């Protein structure tokens, strides 16, 4: 009948309480997950900071022994102490202008160091690791080093800034026996897991030049004349497709 008001149906109190409780539990779970994630990043961060101090201390000791000026911390990664901590240690890497400044390991496969830190601790940050098939280490014609695109710019998380860089930085490598090398970045690009950049065998000068061209060297014009070795840094893009990758290519000067 006109003029008759309809009574609103009230939601039962038990249902309201159930919905509220579910929302509260979801919020608590999210907070716990965030805290665990931050704790994981923090513990790995402390470990790698301690390793940097170990490296800096070794560099200072070497400088005192040789009676020379103390080397800059980001320009050398001596193996003294690091090989004793982890026999898989194969060298150190520092990318100028980024947060990349870590030891590099090479294990028996490409799985272990995805979730294992340099000191052998289980952690989602893992470690920077060379493809286990690079049996010549940094002496191979093409060397690939992997690392996570971690939050807050750790590991290879700061490499995404090279995609729009007007000028590429240098990559400083120190081998396990203390030899220092400088690689010049000539390309940074997004691709996927089907990219032929993961080919490790490069035979002869022509094959090397063709391979470098495929990676983008001719277009950039930044491949150093007479370059004989290429280093590729590989990480994910943190996009929706887990098969998308960010690759940074550099040539030994």
């Amino acid at each position: 009948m006109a003029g008759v008001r309809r009574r609103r149906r009230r939601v039962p109190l038990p249902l309201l309480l159930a919905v509220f409780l579910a929302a509260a539990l979801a919020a608590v779970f999210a907070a716990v997950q965030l805290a665990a994630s931050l704790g994981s990043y923090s513990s790995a961060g402390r470990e790698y900071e301690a390793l940097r101090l170990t490296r800096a201390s070794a560099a200072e000791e070497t400088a005192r022994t040789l009676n020379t000026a103390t080397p800059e911390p980001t320009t050398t990664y001596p193996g003294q102490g690091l090989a004793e901590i982890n026999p898989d240690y194969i060298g150190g890497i520092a990318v100028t202008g980024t947060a990349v400044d870590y030891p590099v390991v090479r294990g028996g496969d490409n799985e272990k160091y995805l979730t294992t830190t340099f000191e052998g601790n289980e952690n989602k940050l893992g470690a920077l690791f060379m493809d286990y098939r690079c049996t010549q280490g940094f002496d191979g014609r093409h060397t690939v080093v992997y690392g996570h695109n971690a939050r807050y710019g750790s590991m290879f998380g700061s490499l995404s800034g090279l995609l729009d860089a007007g000028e590429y930085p240098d990559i400083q490598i120190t081998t396990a026996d203390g030899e220092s090398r400088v690689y010049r970045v000539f390309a940074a690009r997004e691709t996927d897991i089907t990219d032929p950049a993961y080919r490790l065998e490069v035979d002869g000068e022509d094959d090397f030049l063709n391979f470098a061209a495929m990676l983008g060297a001719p277009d950039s014009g930044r491949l150093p004349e007479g370059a004989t070795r290429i280093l590729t840094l590989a990480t994910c893009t943190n996009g929706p497709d887990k098969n998308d990758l960010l690759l940074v290519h550099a040539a030994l000067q």
Side-chain angles (χ1 to χ4, degrees):
M1 294 178 60
V4 177
R5 291 183 178 179
R6 294 184 177 181
R7 297 179 62 185
R8 293 182 179 179
R9 298 180 61 183
R10 294 183 177 180
V11 179
L13 182 58
L15 180 58
L16 284 175
L17 291 175
V19 172
F20 176 78
L21 181 59
L25 288 175
V28 171
F29 178 77
V32 170
Q33 291 293 98
L34 177 60
S37 178
L38 292 176
S40 178
Y41 279 108
S42 179
S43 63
R46 289 193 296 270
E47 175 185 319
Y48 285 113
E49 182 59 30
L51 288 172
R52 292 188 186 99
L53 293 176
T54 298
R55 176 205 59 197
S57 176
E60 291 175 358
E61 180 62 28
T62 300
R64 283 195 296 268
T65 301
L66 299 177
N67 195 26
T68 61
T70 301
E72 290 294 328
T74 57
T75 60
T76 183
Y77 223 114
Q80 183 180 351
L82 296 179
E84 286 77 5
I85 295 173
N86 187 338
D88 286 342
Y89 172 74
I90 197 167
I93 181 172
V95 182
T96 304
T98 75
V100 178
D101 186 8
Y102 296 97
V104 179
V105 291
R106 186 183 66 206
D109 55 44
N110 288 338
E111 301 295 330
K112 175 181 178 180
Y113 287 107
L114 286 171
T115 56
T116 303
T117 66
F118 181 82
E119 293 188 17
N121 299 312
E122 189 71 16
N123 192 289
K124 64 175 63 178
L125 277 185
L128 300 188
F129 62 97
M130 183 181 295
D131 193 300
Y132 77 99
R133 298 169 297 171
C134 296
T135 56
Q136 293 180 286
F138 290 106
D139 290 330
R141 298 297 295 273
H142 182 218
T143 302
V144 180
V145 175
Y146 305 97
H148 286 301
N149 187 350
R151 294 178 183 178
Y152 315 115
S154 57
M155 309 312 285
F156 277 167
S158 59
L159 292 183
S160 58
L162 300 185
L163 290 172
D164 300 318
E167 183 176 346
Y168 288 132
D170 290 334
I171 298 177
Q172 298 164 345
I173 296 291
T174 304
T175 63
D177 60 6
E179 180 187 352
S180 297
R181 302 178 181 181
V182 177
Y183 290 74
R184 186 180 184 187
V185 176
F186 62 82
R189 57 196 180 90
E190 290 185 337
T191 182
D192 58 40
I193 59 174
T194 64
D195 197 286
Y198 288 104
R199 179 167 70 95
L200 299 177
E201 297 297 327
V202 182
D203 300 317
E205 186 64 20
D206 290 341
D207 190 28
F208 178 82
L209 293 176
N210 290 334
F211 182 67
M214 185 275 297
L215 299 179
D219 292 339
S220 68
R222 281 179 281 267
L223 186 68
E225 183 177 354
T228 58
R229 295 185 179 92
I230 289 177
L231 172 67
T232 293
L233 309 184
T235 188
C236 61
T237 64
N238 280 342
D241 192 338
K242 299 301 182 182
N243 293 324
D244 290 341
L245 299 170
L246 166 63
L247 301 181
V248 175
H249 306 293
L252 183 63
Q253 297 197 65

